[in-house]
Amino acid sequence: MKRWESIEDKVIPTVFFVVLIFLWEYIVQVGLIERYILPSPTDIIKAFPDMHPDIWKHVITTVQEAALGFGIAILLSIILAILMDNVKIIKKALYPIIVISQTVPIIALAPLFAAWFGFGKLPKIIVVVLVCFFPILVSLIHGLESVDKDLLNLLKSMGASKFQIFKMVKFPATLISFFSGLRIAATYSIMGAIIGEWLGGKSGLGVYMLRVKQSFALDKFFGAIVIIVVLSIMLFKIIATLQGMLMPWEKEQNKS
Amino acid sequence: MNSCQKNKVLIKGVSKSFENLLIVDDISIELREKEFVTILGPSGSGKSTLFNIISGLIKPDSGKVYIEGEDFTGKTGRVSYMYQKDLLLSWKKIIDNVSMPLIIKGERKEDAREKVKKYFEIFGLEGFEYKYPHQLSGGMKQRAALMRTYMFSKDIILLDEPFGGLDAITKSKMQSWLLDILDRLEASILFITHDIEEAIFLSDRIYILSDRPARIKEEIKIDISKPRNSDVITTNKFNNIKRHILDLL
């Protein structure tokens, strides 16, 4: 039964996806929508060879920005989460501000970053950090808060030091929610870099998309979107694999 | 129980309030060497607060906690404490869960593993050393938790409703098992429960607590000879004690 269900889980979305693609192809082929408005899937596939040598430097730029920003966001949120968990005043002071800061539309701020930090990689990395930082921090804080109080008391009653409690209980107990934050942030990271690039720069997928859009090469534009999706999924998978490696107990729990 | 037995734990006139609400009111309790003493009282009567005071997690407003004659009021790290929940770390194998107290005391992981290994047989967990907690049954998890508790302090153990979360059948099995291994462990045990039969079956002495604020209503000696088996539950003597306690509560 279970095996059949898991096959079903994979087959149904795949079939639905294929049907959608065919429908899209059909609509464009019969001319319901003009090609210069929406290229068909085969048009997009045909565009890839044309994009070939030129696109890679843009991909590399975007991945660099996303990875660097993601890394900085992880580091920053870990430091902040530990501080906020240990010093309640810091948490009380910072948490509301951090939440409010998330209501500011990043897309509106991005041009300012370009004005302040120029058209290099820095303003893009800042956008990525801002976008990724919040989900990771919130998941960390939530994880640290949800550690069983009795468990903490038990360790205290054994005379464990604050560092021992962190290492033995708080850190591993937080890992699971940390990773769920990481997965969300990972998909945001590529998107954040694109938003940053959209507002100007020398290279990057966002810059590329802007250029091909202006020359009405919509097939290449959609090609770039496919690349972005693939990159995001790859990053997501990397995080999931990392989680499986760092948390072997979870994997065995799911198996049984 | 002869009088030359040493005092392991002595609590003298301990009181504690939270936010002006008196929870523990002038309680004095003693636990002698190798004795099994139960604190029996209704739920929410402040039994766990009393244990937190003995283990040093909470400082009493007045009164003292002496362990082997030494003042341990508000000091942690001397007695071992087991909760109703097993509180095993799901990310550690059983052997590492059990060696946690030794690692906190500063031993190396390998040494700690080596030391705990020989106890797996006593606690009936042989063959489960390298399993994760979720692979064990409820009763086995409690045994593992008790083993971890024992690894921390072998002479004084506080048990806070350790079988409260188990089903009736597993619970009665665990009670017999506990009596059985206590002979080999040579520990002094302070036990919390609201289950009257459990209290009589396991204990040498019982302190009956009142509703909040917790006061000692009576101290009862259980003079049913040990080792006991589950048959004692149906004897006259057992029932008389049970009726007496029911009248008190």
Side-chain angles (χ1 to χ4, degrees):
Chain A
M1 252 338 254
K2 197 140 197 192
R3 214 173 130 215
W4 170 240
E5 266 171 36
S6 82
I7 292 170
E8 215 176 26
D9 282 347
K10 281 180 187 137
V11 166
I12 289 176
T14 314
V15 168
F16 184 64
F17 182 71
V18 171
V19 168
L20 272 184
I21 296 287
F22 269 98
L23 200 68
W24 177 1
E25 182 73 38
Y26 176 77
I27 288 170
V28 181
Q29 289 290 347
V30 296
L32 279 171
I33 299 175
E34 293 295 339
R35 273 214 155 74
Y36 65 88
I37 292 172
L38 183 71
S40 74
T42 44
D43 293 334
I44 296 168
I45 293 166
K46 277 182 208 150
F48 277 106
D50 296 340
M51 292 158 73
H52 170 52
D54 194 35
I55 192 78
W56 293 112
K57 73 165 203 259
H58 297 293
V59 172
I60 289 166
T61 308
T62 301
V63 169
Q64 276 174 348
E65 289 161 358
L68 210 61
F70 189 42
I72 294 171
I74 293 172
L75 243 121
L76 203 66
S77 33
I78 290 177
I79 293 169
L80 259 179
I82 292 175
L83 271 177
M84 286 165 93
D85 186 56
N86 280 302
V87 192
K88 290 285 164 262
I89 297 174
I90 295 184
K91 185 175 183 177
K92 277 186 185 142
L94 279 185
Y95 201 67
I97 297 176
I98 290 170
V99 173
I100 291 168
S101 76
Q102 289 308 301
T103 61
V104 177
I106 299 272
I107 196 136
L109 280 184
L112 278 183
F113 293 147
W116 294 341
F117 306 110
F119 290 93
K121 281 181 188 159
L122 184 63
K124 285 88 174 171
I125 292 169
I126 292 174
V127 173
V128 177
V129 173
L130 286 179
V131 171
C132 293
F133 157 79
F134 189 68
I136 305 176
L137 181 71
V138 170
S139 67
L140 273 174
I141 288 175
H142 175 75
L144 285 169
E145 273 175 352
S146 61
V147 179
D148 194 325
K149 295 282 175 294
D150 284 342
L151 190 54
L152 297 179
N153 269 339
L154 176 76
L155 268 96
K156 276 186 208 154
S157 81
M158 290 181 179
S161 68
K162 261 196 158 179
F163 178 71
Q164 279 176 323
I165 291 178
F166 181 80
K167 198 182 107 195
M168 297 175 99
V169 174
K170 283 194 167 180
F171 176 70
T174 305
L175 270 183
I176 192 158
S177 78
F178 176 54
F179 269 103
S180 64
L182 276 190
R183 280 198 300 266
I184 298 170
T187 53
Y188 283 2
S189 67
I190 303 278
M191 192 192 75
I194 306 284
I195 291 175
E197 289 160 1
W198 201 257
L199 296 141
K202 291 179 206 79
S203 82
L205 279 171
V207 177
Y208 179 84
M209 286 169 84
L210 213 58
R211 281 184 199 160
V212 293
K213 191 183 77 113
Q214 272 150 10
S215 54
F216 298 103
L218 277 195
D219 50 350
K220 285 181 183 166
F221 186 87
F222 276 90
I225 290 179
V226 172
I227 292 173
I228 292 168
V229 170
V230 170
L231 283 178
S232 299
I233 291 174
M234 269 163 60
L235 206 55
F236 190 89
K237 285 280 175 200
I238 290 172
I239 303 288
T241 315
L242 217 61
Q243 180 174 16
M245 273 157 54
L246 282 173
M247 303 170 64
W249 61 92
E250 278 294 321
K251 214 157 73 187
E252 289 193 35
Q253 202 157 353
N254 293 336
K255 244 187 259 165
S256 65
Chain B
M1 295 296 128
N2 51 44
S3 57
C4 69
Q5 267 181 315
K6 276 191 294 182
N7 252 327
K8 293 301 273 187
V9 178
L10 179 68
I11 301 152
K12 258 191 171 166
V14 160
S15 300
K16 179 77 192 172
S17 337
F18 289 106
E19 291 161 3
N20 293 326
L21 189 65
L22 190 60
I23 304 289
V24 177
D25 185 15
D26 191 25
I27 285 186
S28 297
I29 281 174
E30 63 174 328
L31 173 70
R32 293 182 213 115
E33 198 163 15
K34 287 178 212 166
E35 206 183 12
F36 194 116
V37 172
T38 295
I39 297 164
L40 179 67
S43 304
S45 61
K47 302 186 296 276
S48 298
T49 308
L50 192 60
F51 265 24
N52 281 330
I53 290 172
I54 299 171
S55 67
L57 287 170
I58 296 179
K59 237 185 147 100
D61 298 334
S62 60
K64 292 274 180 205
V65 177
Y66 296 99
I67 296 168
E68 292 184 314
E70 210 180 312
D71 186 355
F72 263 90
T73 319
K75 277 188 225 166
T76 58
R78 174 59 183 89
V79 300
S80 48
Y81 189 168
M82 177 177 164
Y83 295 76
Q84 178 176 340
K85 284 181 273 182
D86 61 64
L87 295 177
L88 294 170
L89 306 176
S90 60
W91 50 88
K92 280 192 193 293
K93 296 185 171 116
I94 296 301
I95 191 162
D96 294 323
N97 261 294
V98 172
S99 28
M100 192 176 82
L102 301 177
I103 290 169
I104 288 176
K105 284 178 180 170
E107 294 204 31
R108 284 187 25 242
K109 186 176 169 182
E110 299 310 316
D111 298 342
R113 276 188 173 188
E114 211 47 54
K115 272 190 190 162
V116 299
K117 256 180 196 160
K118 60 177 179 221
Y119 291 100
F120 273 85
E121 187 249 318
I122 301 177
F123 284 85
L125 290 166
E126 246 179 333
F128 290 88
E129 289 89 340
Y130 296 97
K131 299 273 185 221
Y132 285 105
H134 68 91
Q135 293 167 306
L136 270 59
S137 69
M140 289 172 94
K141 279 188 211 167
Q142 283 313 100
R143 288 210 291 267
L146 184 63
M147 185 172 165
R148 178 181 61 187
T149 312
Y150 179 67
M151 286 302 141
F152 180 71
S153 159
K154 295 192 170 60
D155 59 341
I156 305 170
I157 301 176
L158 312 181
L159 303 175
D160 186 351
E161 299 199 34
F163 309 138
L166 299 174
D167 62 273
I169 296 167
T170 314
K171 188 173 176 175
S172 87
K173 272 188 197 158
M174 289 288 289
Q175 288 163 354
S176 301
W177 171 82
L178 182 63
L179 274 187
D180 203 41
I181 68 156
L182 279 180
D183 265 357
R184 300 157 75 180
L185 296 184
E186 308 208 310
S188 315
I189 295 197
L190 214 47
F191 192 88
I192 283 181
T193 186
H194 55 247
D195 181 332
I196 299 171
E197 282 190 9
E198 181 173 70
I200 305 171
F201 181 59
L202 294 171
S203 317
D204 299 316
R205 273 187 304 129
I206 300 177
Y207 289 99
I208 312 279
L209 287 197
S210 65
D211 244 325
R212 204 158 56 201
R215 263 185 221 107
I216 291 173
K217 273 192 175 168
E218 197 175 313
E219 182 190 340
I220 298 171
K221 248 185 133 169
I222 310 294
D223 50 357
I224 301 172
S225 63
K226 280 187 171 176
R228 299 170 191 160
N229 60 36
S230 47
D231 296 340
V232 294
I233 295 178
T234 48
T235 61
N236 262 339
K237 211 173 192 176
F238 191 96
N239 278 323
N240 286 336
I241 301 170
K242 189 175 168 185
R243 193 163 309 130
H244 177 67
I245 296 175
L246 278 171
D247 289 341
L248 272 172
L249 286 172

